[in-house]
Amino acid sequence: MSIELKNINKSFGTFTALANVTLTIPTGQLMALLGPSGSGKTTLLRIIAGLEQPDASPDVELSFDGQPTLGARVRERGVGFVFQHYALFRHMTVAENIAFGLQVRPRSLRPSKAAIREKVQALLELVQLQNLERRYPSQLSGGQRQRVALARALAVEPKILLLDEPFGALDARVRQELRRWLRKLHDEIHVTSVFVTHDQEEALEVADQIVVMNRGKIEQVGTPDEVFHKPASEFVMKFLGNVNLFHGRVESGQAMIGAVASGSPTGARVQPARLLVRPHELEVTAQPNGRPGLPATIHRIQSAGPMVKLELIDEHGQTLLAEMGHEQFHGLGKGLNQQVYVSPKETRVFIDDYTI
C-alpha cells in the first residue's frame, strides 16, 4: 500500500513540528525517517498512524493507495505500530500479547480460537521465538521483547507497518542483529514500512529509501547510496557521519583549499566556499604528493578495528579526521606527533548551502 502526504503542517503551540511536508512512500518499500531530535520525524509517523492530526488546511492531503485517509480513525487505517519501549502487557504471556489485536476485534470480525492459535504459532516462527509462547515479558531479553512487539503488530495483518525508534532501547550488539533481521523479515513479507531513527548507520543499513529531516522539513529523499554520496545540502552531509571542513574557494569552477586572497575580487569566477571531506576521502602521505593539501601532525591513533583512525592537527590548530587501512598506515611509517601531509581525494563544495 502506498502512502502520499501533501502540505502537512503541524504546530504545538508556538513550536512548528512540521512545515509543509510532502512525501510519497511507494508500495512495499522500507523507508527510514532520519533526523536529529526535534526534526519532526516521530510527529510525521504519528500523523500517518492517525495518532496525531495535521493542522487544518484546505490543501492538506493524506492518502493510502490513493484513498483519502485523514478522516479515518486509527483502527480503520490498517496500520501496525511498534513502539521503542515495546508497550507489551506485562501480565500476558508472549502468545497472549501477540494474539491481543485479534481477540479484541468485534465478534463478527474475530477469527476462531483455533485460527488465532495457528496465527500466533506462525508469527512465533516468523520472529524466531518458537517455544517461548508461555513466557512473560519480564522473562525475555530486550531483543526478544521487541520481536514480540513486532509479531503483535503483524498479527492483525496491517497494510502499513510503522516503527518508532524500534531498536533505540537496546544495546549496540543487539541493535546490529535486529537490524539485519528486520531487513530480512521485510524482504519476506513486503509490507510497506516506515521507521523512525536518529541512527545514521541504522538507516543506511536497513532502508530502501531515506528521508532526512531537519527542523520540520525534508532535506533530502533518496536511496542510502544517494544521500551518503550525493548529499543535497550541507546539513545532510554533516548529519550522515564525520566530516572535515576546509575553508576554500571556487575559481573558474574548480574547488581549492584556502580562502580568497586579500584584494581578490569576489564574483562569478572566485567565490568563498566550504569544502567538506569525509575521513576516508582524506589522503595522508609522508611527503607532499603534488596535489593541493597542507601539513598536519598526528595527534591520536586508533588502530582497533578494521580501519585505522587518525586524529590530526593542521597548521591552523584545526582537528582533522582520517581513516585508512592497516597496511596503508604501516606503509606511512609515521607515529604520534610526527608530521604528515593531507589532501582531499574527493570533496563536496557548498556555497550558501548549494552543493557542486
Side-chain angles (χ1 to χ4, degrees), residues 155-217:
V156 295
E157 298 182 358
K159 299 171 183 176
I160 295 169
L161 181 63
L162 306 177
L163 306 98
D164 188 9
E165 302 264 13
F167 311 134
L170 305 173
D171 62 55
R173 183 171 181 177
V174 176
R175 283 204 307 270
Q176 289 180 338
E177 292 175 354
L178 284 184
R179 285 203 298 259
R180 291 191 293 268
W181 174 79
L182 177 61
R183 180 67 249 186
K184 181 181 177 182
L185 178 66
H186 182 267
D187 290 341
E188 293 176 2
I189 62 177
H190 296 292
V191 63
T192 304
S193 304
V194 185
F195 75 98
V196 162
T197 182
H198 62 268
D199 187 322
Q200 302 91 331
E201 182 181 338
E202 185 170 286
L204 293 170
E205 182 178 336
V206 175
D208 296 316
Q209 293 269 319
I210 296 175
V211 181
V212 184
M213 300 187 67
N214 181 37
R215 297 181 179 180
K217 297 181 179 180

Side-chain angles (χ1 to χ4, degrees), residues 5 27 50 60 84 94 104 107 120 130 147 170 172 184 198 217 223 232-233 242 265 271 279-280 314 327 331:
L5 304 106
T27 300
V60 64
Q84 177 179 351
V94 167
V104 297
R107 186 176 297 275
V120 168
Q130 303 95 317
R147 293 188 189 197
L170 305 173
K184 181 181 177 182
H198 62 268
K217 297 181 179 180
T223 65
S233 67
N242 292 323
Q271 296 175 283
H280 68 277
D314 71 10
E327 185 175 347

Side-chain angles (χ1 to χ4, degrees), residues 109-346:
L109 301 175
R110 189 184 311 159
S112 67
K113 291 183 179 179
I116 292 176
R117 283 195 300 269
E118 184 177 343
K119 183 73 171 181
V120 168
Q121 288 303 315
L123 286 165
L124 285 168
E125 292 183 15
L126 184 66
V127 299
Q128 301 172 1
L129 291 177
Q130 303 95 317
N131 304 319
L132 297 182
E133 67 267 26
R134 295 186 180 182
R135 291 193 183 182
Y136 289 88
S138 61
Q139 298 172 310
L140 303 176
S141 68
Q144 289 171 333
R145 292 178 198 173
Q146 194 58 282
R147 293 188 189 197
V148 174
L150 185 54
R152 183 178 61 184
L154 293 173
V156 295
E157 298 182 358
K159 299 171 183 176
I160 295 169
L161 181 63
L162 306 177
L163 306 98
D164 188 9
E165 302 264 13
F167 311 134
L170 305 173
D171 62 55
R173 183 171 181 177
V174 176
R175 283 204 307 270
Q176 289 180 338
E177 292 175 354
L178 284 184
R179 285 203 298 259
R180 291 191 293 268
W181 174 79
L182 177 61
R183 180 67 249 186
K184 181 181 177 182
L185 178 66
H186 182 267
D187 290 341
E188 293 176 2
I189 62 177
H190 296 292
V191 63
T192 304
S193 304
V194 185
F195 75 98
V196 162
T197 182
H198 62 268
D199 187 322
Q200 302 91 331
E201 182 181 338
E202 185 170 286
L204 293 170
E205 182 178 336
V206 175
D208 296 316
Q209 293 269 319
I210 296 175
V211 181
V212 184
M213 300 187 67
N214 181 37
R215 297 181 179 180
K217 297 181 179 180
I218 293 176
E219 292 273 345
Q220 185 174 0
V221 181
T223 65
D225 188 74
E226 288 169 344
V227 297
F228 187 83
H229 293 292
K230 298 177 181 178
S233 67
E234 189 170 342
F235 171 83
V236 173
M237 182 158 186
K238 288 180 176 179
F239 190 72
L240 291 176
N242 292 323
V243 295
N244 296 297
L245 171 64
F246 295 93
H247 294 286
R249 64 195 187 279
V250 174
E251 293 187 12
S252 301
Q254 296 294 317
M256 304 178 70
I257 294 177
V260 177
S262 177
S264 297
T266 299
R269 295 181 62 83
V270 181
Q271 296 175 283
R274 297 178 298 283
L275 281 60
L276 272 62
V277 184
R278 296 203 183 278
H280 68 277
E281 296 169 338
L282 193 64
E283 185 172 13
V284 182
T285 58
Q287 301 294 332
N289 60 4
R291 297 169 59 184
L294 66 160
T297 302
I298 298 177
H299 179 68
R300 186 168 183 262
I301 302 170
Q302 183 181 338
S303 58
M307 301 288 287
V308 177
K309 299 178 181 180
L310 301 179
E311 187 176 302
L312 311 169
I313 305 295
D314 71 10
E315 57 187 350
H316 304 293
Q318 177 180 345
T319 299
L320 303 174
L321 303 175
E323 294 180 0
M324 62 180 66
H326 286 266
E327 185 175 347
Q328 183 182 0
F329 173 71
H330 291 306
L332 183 65
K334 296 287 186 176
L336 285 174
N337 302 317
Q338 292 188 303
Q339 189 176 53
V340 293
Y341 294 84
V342 298
S343 57
K345 292 182 285 186
E346 188 173 349

Side-chain angles (χ1 to χ4, degrees), residues 25-69:
I25 304 172
T27 300
Q29 198 163 78
L30 177 55
M31 180 169 278
L33 302 181
L34 174 66
S37 297
S39 60
K41 52 191 186 297
T42 293
T43 300
L44 185 60
L45 193 79
R46 290 174 63 85
I47 285 175
I48 295 172
L51 299 173
E52 297 281 357
Q53 294 298 318
D55 294 342
S57 172
D59 56 354
V60 64
E61 292 182 26
L62 171 62
S63 60
F64 293 173
D65 265 355
Q67 299 300 313
T69 309

